[in-house]
Amino acid sequence: FLRRNVAHFTFFKDQPDASLGATKEMNLCQTIQNSLDITLGNDNTAIVFGEDVAFGGVFRCTTELRSKYGADRVFNTPLCEQGIIGFGIGAAVAGATAIAEIQFADYIFPAYDQIVNEAAKYRYRSQNLFNCGKLTIRAPWGAVGHGALYHSQSPEAQFMHTPGIKVVIPRSAIEAKGLLISCIKDDNPCIFFEPKILYRSAKEDVPIKEYTIPLSKAQIIQEGSDVTLLSWGTQVHVIREVAQMAAKENISCEVIDLRTIVPWDVDTICQSVSKTGRLLISHEAPVTGGVGAEIAATVAKECFLNLEAPVERVCGYDIHPIPHVFEPFYFPSKWRCLDAIKRMMNF
Amino acid sequence: MLRLPGHSRTLYGLCRSFVNQASKRQQSLSTNGSAATSKVAIEPNTSKMSIFSGHIKGSITNTLEFVRPENITPLPIYQVLDSDGAVKDKSHEPHFTDDHLVKMYHDMTLLNVLDRILYESQRQGRISFYMTNFGEEATHIGSAAALNPKDLVYGQYREAGVLMYRGFKLHEFIDQCFGNARASCKGVQMPVHYGSTNLSFVTISSTLATQMPQAVGSAYAYKRAQNGLCVVCYFGEGAASEGDAHAALNFAATLEAPVIFFCRNNGYAISTTTIDQYRGDGIASRGPGYGMATIRVDGNDLFGVYNVTKAARELALSEMRPVLIEAMTLRVGHHSTSDDSSAYRSIDEVRTRDKRDNPIVRLRKYMTKRGCWDEEKEEKWTKDSQKMVMEAFANCEKSKRAPVTTMFENIFDKVEPHLQRQMKEMNEHIRQNPDHFPLALYEKSST
């Protein structure tokens, strides 16, 4: 008997920061709703818009917000991504906190021009006469088991090459709330990619009150001495499991969640690699021109004398992510990661 | 290994809902049926068409007849001041004082002088690029005069007259073209990409039509802020072919934004004439298709442009809805200094058309008849305006460029650590290789 949709990862719960007070069990989807709720409550200029957000969103991330805050603050737009982002930029330019939803990260490309040529360059080209720092773009992201070519993509590298925007990806419900609120408050246009496979499966105790997690700060989830494992989003859970598998073979892994793709936390990564001497970067997106390439090149330069083995990148193959029925073979799975670790240890 | 109880079931649940959501995208294109929206009752509609869409009011017909655009009467062109400088219907004559008329005439002609001097300076290699406004001065000044000076303006690049009317100084135009330290954008953008917060004029970018959906977003924010202001968005008839134009017009209508779309239809998008740009009745005919109040105006008629813009502003703000204005005009100059328009059109023909009807000449005829302008004033103003521009030009040409480190600033709100590192690298490289850089042109860095 073969299950059709077996999860390629195991979700690791985190303990909430006790100093943040009372918690409530929420999944990632609910924490997004909760973060937007807090924002709309605190900031009267804040608006939430996109395709189908009014009734609660196709993933239920905006439920009840319209009835609570009004139809002028939570509303549907026509089905047009370049319009959604252009509209959001304009609202931000006029002083509103604009939270735009793109229904799937796969459909962000019609808005690529508005993001790359407009949002990212607004402050620079006017030398801060005008800016759209109050814009946040949310989009469901990453593999989901059967999303095929247009419900699976991880386009963060496309935006990493664009100065002027921040790209942030959380790995869990607790992280999603702190990072999304930081994106909304940050005075730069931010893209917040939400791993949609975690929407319901990432359930943990999330602090109820407002809190932020700093952008451009990676998090060392587990300390180790032999290999640094680096990823973001869902794949963090894969490398956490890989670290457990490696431990059984007496390999000590340091597990890091990058969290912010750009501007990324060079210092934390390089310090870790200087200590361990080995780096494995893993992401769902195709390997060529992926975020891993940028990190590998930087680490190769900054940690040249400390590296004991070539930097390994265990990523998606250079095919369109993700061919429907071949998904299990496409993944940078825990087994592929473990192989790479062994290669590095035996180098 | 931590496996959550019921994990696989939760995942399965997600997968099922995911299938629903994924297919919703297609469904939303056809009908409003979706598992996810099933809670929303379909409004009972007594009209014969209710089974299709609640917003279509058409009745059933048994006649098979296509709507043919060639059978529809083209939208008329509103005019107040004719090419002889005469007002046919006095009830439409705006009540400008003599001083206001002279100010508008000064602005149009000063822009003209500035255009000629900056165009020539580009030909001499003193600035890198320029775009003139010849023939379209009335669209700028007429519309600007009808707005509240705080109304937010989004332009394309050929609307310098709006800034001129609002009080942008000559040196501000010229400094921007030189890319000096004093320039609005400190030299990071090409010439004619002006911007001003004081004058509520959003900084121009080269990308065509991108400003259009942005104008809608700003107008929506203004509506919510209830600040009594509207947003005005200028664009050419070529830019109207971009997808962003479609997005903007549709968003403005459905989200009921107080925005005035002002299309300058000057007949050309670089070399492309309107016959290759569209086959409908210009841009204005698209307005009703989006459910938008629309008007077409003679763009060489300052008064006509003023009246329609004033009325559009009132309509937009009192009814909280967008308005589309199409101003018919002629691009008299080349597209830009990188373009020789004789390669695709007869310069003689353009000159003839411009001679027959030029917006500045038209206003001058009116003012002369009215008695607030004469040959003597014209001669004096011609001299004075040229002197003003030449003096400002000489002053700006001597100004230095911003410090080199400026190029790392304003990428983000703060100079991020990786940019600080790169700035240091650059400074060190310049320090060691000073002879390879034109450092004398730039102000010294403070860092």
Side-chain angles (χ1 to χ4, degrees):
Chain A
F1 171 71
L2 284 170
R3 292 271 309 281
R4 273 184 184 274
N5 293 307
V6 179
H8 67 284
F9 68 99
T10 302
F11 180 70
F12 285 73
K13 269 191 198 189
D14 283 314
Q15 286 307 309
D17 181 346
S19 71
L20 293 173
T23 61
K24 186 185 166 195
E25 193 186 59
M26 284 188 245
N27 60 32
L28 195 147
C29 182
Q30 289 163 327
T31 54
I32 301 298
Q33 194 272 0
N34 179 241
S35 310
L36 298 177
D37 189 356
I38 290 170
T39 301
L40 289 160
N42 291 343
D43 177 358
N44 189 42
T45 72
I47 50 175
V48 170
F49 53 92
E51 295 158 11
D52 307 298
V53 302
F55 86 110
V58 297
F59 286 108
R60 317 306 296 155
C61 288
T62 53
T63 48
E64 290 161 26
L65 296 177
R66 186 179 172 95
S67 56
K68 191 166 173 187
Y69 296 102
D72 67 320
R73 302 191 61 195
V74 181
F75 51 92
N76 288 340
T77 65
L79 206 164
C80 178
E81 286 76 13
Q82 64 199 92
I84 292 170
I85 303 307
F87 177 90
I89 293 169
V93 165
T97 297
I99 305 164
E101 178 180 304
I102 295 295
Q103 203 162 71
F104 287 85
D106 312 64
Y107 304 127
I108 206 166
F109 298 110
Y112 198 65
D113 186 41
Q114 284 285 353
I115 295 171
V116 172
N117 277 326
E118 297 292 313
K121 296 175 173 66
Y122 231 94
R123 188 190 303 272
Y124 191 69
R125 74 183 183 209
S126 70
Q127 285 294 299
N128 208 22
L129 291 183
F130 298 91
N131 72 75
C132 60
K134 285 167 162 283
L135 170 69
T136 302
I137 303 165
R138 299 174 37 242
W141 167 97
V144 73
H146 52 277
L149 307 193
Y150 306 107
H151 300 84
S152 305
Q153 291 179 52
S154 304
E156 60 272 20
Q158 311 274 356
F159 298 101
M160 189 182 209
H161 199 53
T162 300
I165 45 174
K166 295 187 176 181
V167 180
V168 178
I169 308 176
R171 68 165 187 278
S172 68
I174 294 172
E175 290 279 306
K177 181 169 173 179
L179 289 169
L180 177 55
I181 292 176
S182 288
C183 283
I184 293 168
K185 291 184 175 229
D186 191 86
D187 200 16
N188 297 284
C190 294
I191 303 178
F192 188 74
F193 285 128
E194 300 162 3
K196 59 185 166 296
I197 199 167
L198 298 177
Y199 271 145
R200 282 166 185 76
S201 60
K203 201 180 270 188
E204 56 190 356
D205 296 325
V206 180
I208 292 165
K209 72 170 191 183
E210 182 184 86
Y211 63 95
T212 56
I213 294 174
L215 304 184
S216 295
K217 288 277 174 229
Q219 185 189 17
I220 299 173
I221 297 169
Q222 178 188 312
E223 295 200 356
S225 54
D226 295 328
V227 190
T228 300
L229 308 183
L230 176 65
S231 192
W232 48 93
T234 322
Q235 193 67 10
V236 171
H237 301 287
V238 175
I239 59 169
R240 286 178 92 161
E241 193 174 345
V242 170
Q244 289 180 345
M245 292 156 75
K248 286 181 188 151
E249 309 198 20
N250 292 321
I251 303 168
S252 165
C253 296
E254 182 143 301
V255 179
I256 305 182
D257 179 359
L258 188 64
R259 288 172 165 168
T260 299
I261 303 302
V262 60
W264 63 286
D265 184 356
V266 178
D267 291 347
T268 299
I269 310 308
C270 288
Q271 275 162 23
S272 172
V273 178
S274 296
K275 178 180 76 175
T276 61
R278 297 174 187 85
L279 173 64
L280 180 150
I281 309 160
S282 184
H283 56 67
E284 279 178 21
V287 64
T288 299
V291 172
E294 178 58 38
I295 296 170
T298 303
V299 166
K301 180 166 190 284
E302 299 297 326
C303 310
F304 183 69
L305 295 176
N306 302 87
L307 284 171
E308 303 285 347
V311 175
E312 285 280 353
R313 288 181 288 154
V314 180
C315 305
Y317 298 114
D318 288 338
I319 59 177
H320 301 299
I322 296 175
H324 196 190
V325 304
F326 305 104
E327 183 163 319
F329 301 91
Y330 172 88
F331 274 122
S333 67
K334 56 190 177 189
W335 302 110
R336 280 177 62 198
C337 289
L338 191 64
D339 274 354
I341 289 172
K342 287 178 184 166
R343 270 201 303 278
M344 281 192 283
M345 295 308 293
N346 297 329
F347 184 80
Chain B
M1 193 160 67
L2 272 163
R3 183 165 278 275
L4 296 176
H7 176 80
S8 58
R9 238 174 66 193
T10 317
L11 192 68
Y12 177 65
L14 171 71
C15 296
R16 264 186 37 182
S17 93
F18 177 77
V19 170
N20 286 341
Q21 310 320 343
S23 58
K24 183 172 183 303
R25 236 184 122 78
Q26 278 93 50
Q27 288 176 19
S28 67
L29 292 172
S30 51
T31 69
N32 52 8
S34 153
T37 54
S38 60
K39 266 194 284 179
V40 184
I42 293 166
E43 295 278 325
N45 189 330
T46 49
S47 103
K48 283 180 178 176
M49 305 299 286
S50 64
I51 54 164
F52 300 116
S53 171
H55 286 90
I56 296 293
K57 304 277 192 284
S59 58
I60 300 286
T61 177
N62 301 117
T63 310
L64 197 165
E65 190 178 14
F66 292 100
V67 174
R68 287 176 174 272
E70 55 271 32
N71 297 338
I72 298 173
T73 313
L75 288 165
I77 303 166
Y78 174 75
Q79 186 188 67
V80 176
L81 193 64
D82 70 18
S83 50
D84 296 324
V87 175
K88 288 240 168 62
D89 182 346
K90 292 285 177 192
S91 71
H92 283 238
E93 186 174 1
H95 302 293
F96 290 120
T97 62
D98 284 358
D99 284 353
H100 198 170
L101 275 171
V102 170
K103 183 229 171 345
M104 290 191 287
Y105 184 74
H106 276 175
D107 287 341
M108 287 166 74
T109 45
L110 189 60
L111 177 64
N112 222 250
V113 174
L114 181 71
D115 273 354
R116 263 182 269 133
I117 288 173
L118 287 176
Y119 181 82
E120 287 307 323
S121 76
Q122 194 284 334
R123 300 280 93 170
Q124 296 165 9
R126 294 158 90 168
I127 60 172
S128 63
F129 178 78
Y130 196 68
M131 300 178 108
T132 63
N133 301 278
F134 299 137
E136 301 183 45
E137 297 89 347
T139 62
H140 306 181
I141 306 300
S143 56
L147 300 171
N148 180 312
K150 290 282 161 202
D151 287 339
L152 190 64
V153 172
Y154 281 87
Q156 180 167 303
Y157 49 63
R158 214 184 298 280
E159 295 91 7
V162 177
L163 277 167
M164 185 70 88
Y165 184 85
R166 287 189 170 193
F168 208 55
K169 304 220 166 35
L170 282 175
H171 80 78
E172 293 180 283
F173 287 106
I174 304 169
D175 273 327
Q176 200 284 330
C177 291
F178 274 114
N180 289 339
R182 283 196 300 199
S184 51
C185 71
K186 295 183 190 166
V188 305
Q189 286 216 84
M190 284 172 80
V192 312
H193 291 55
Y194 309 117
S196 169
T197 31
N198 293 337
L199 304 179
S200 302
F201 191 99
V202 179
T203 300
I204 298 295
S205 72
S206 310
T207 40
L208 285 183
T210 47
Q211 81 278 16
M212 296 181 69
Q214 293 170 15
V216 182
S218 290
Y220 189 87
Y222 274 19
K223 178 171 83 164
R224 285 205 63 242
Q226 296 182 309
N227 62 9
L229 299 174
C230 71
V231 176
V232 186
C233 177
Y234 295 88
F235 57 103
E237 89 287 348
S241 295
E242 292 281 1
D244 276 331
H246 162 67
L249 298 174
N250 199 27
F251 275 53
T254 61
L255 298 170
E256 297 168 354
V259 54
I260 300 170
F261 291 105
F262 192 107
C263 178
R264 298 175 292 95
N265 190 336
N266 64 15
Y268 296 90
I270 306 187
S271 74
T272 305
T273 54
T274 54
I275 194 70
D276 292 334
Q277 198 65 250
Y278 54 73
R279 285 296 162 92
D281 176 26
I283 308 305
S285 69
R286 298 176 197 172
Y290 288 103
M292 196 178 300
T294 301
I295 195 162
R296 177 175 281 158
V297 64
D298 178 346
N300 289 356
D301 168 12
L302 182 84
F303 293 176
V305 172
Y306 173 82
N307 280 357
V308 299
T309 310
K310 194 163 179 276
R313 187 175 192 278
E314 279 161 16
L315 198 163
L317 283 168
S318 63
E319 299 182 27
M320 281 300 158
R321 59 188 292 192
V323 183
L324 174 61
I325 298 170
E326 182 181 26
M328 307 308 294
T329 177
L330 173 68
R331 195 194 81 210
V332 173
H334 301 300
H335 164 69
S336 73
T337 48
S338 309
D339 170 51
D340 172 9
S341 66
S342 67
Y344 51 80
R345 64 180 191 178
S346 152
I347 297 296
D348 281 348
E349 195 203 316
V350 173
R351 282 205 186 117
T352 309
R353 284 173 65 189
D354 184 41
K355 215 166 205 176
R356 203 167 61 218
D357 180 28
N358 172 287
I360 293 174
V361 174
R362 203 193 281 202
L363 181 64
R364 186 160 68 226
K365 283 179 182 168
Y366 168 86
M367 288 166 70
T368 307
K369 277 183 208 165
R370 181 159 144 166
C372 64
W373 198 254
D374 55 31
E375 274 305 315
E376 200 183 324
K377 283 178 180 164
E378 177 71 17
E379 210 167 295
K380 183 172 185 307
W381 171 244
T382 305
K383 272 188 199 155
D384 288 353
S385 56
Q386 282 189 359
K387 192 167 169 249
M388 281 158 64
V389 176
M390 290 304 287
E391 277 176 8
F393 186 89
N395 176 288
C396 295
E397 196 168 29
K398 279 183 240 148
S399 297
K400 285 204 176 185
R401 296 173 177 176
V404 181
T405 47
T406 305
M407 73 188 219
F408 288 94
E409 289 161 10
N410 290 309
I411 295 287
F412 295 99
D413 60 335
K414 299 179 190 73
V415 183
E416 292 283 329
H418 68 292
L419 291 172
Q420 288 176 22
R421 280 195 288 271
Q422 290 170 24
M423 196 197 286
K424 263 189 202 159
E425 264 176 45
M426 180 193 71
N427 282 338
E428 183 55 21
H429 176 69
I430 294 172
R431 202 181 60 77
Q432 292 184 11
N433 303 272
D435 300 342
H436 302 318
F437 296 98
L439 290 171
L441 297 176
Y442 300 79
E443 289 177 352
K444 284 222 157 38
S445 271
S446 52
T447 49

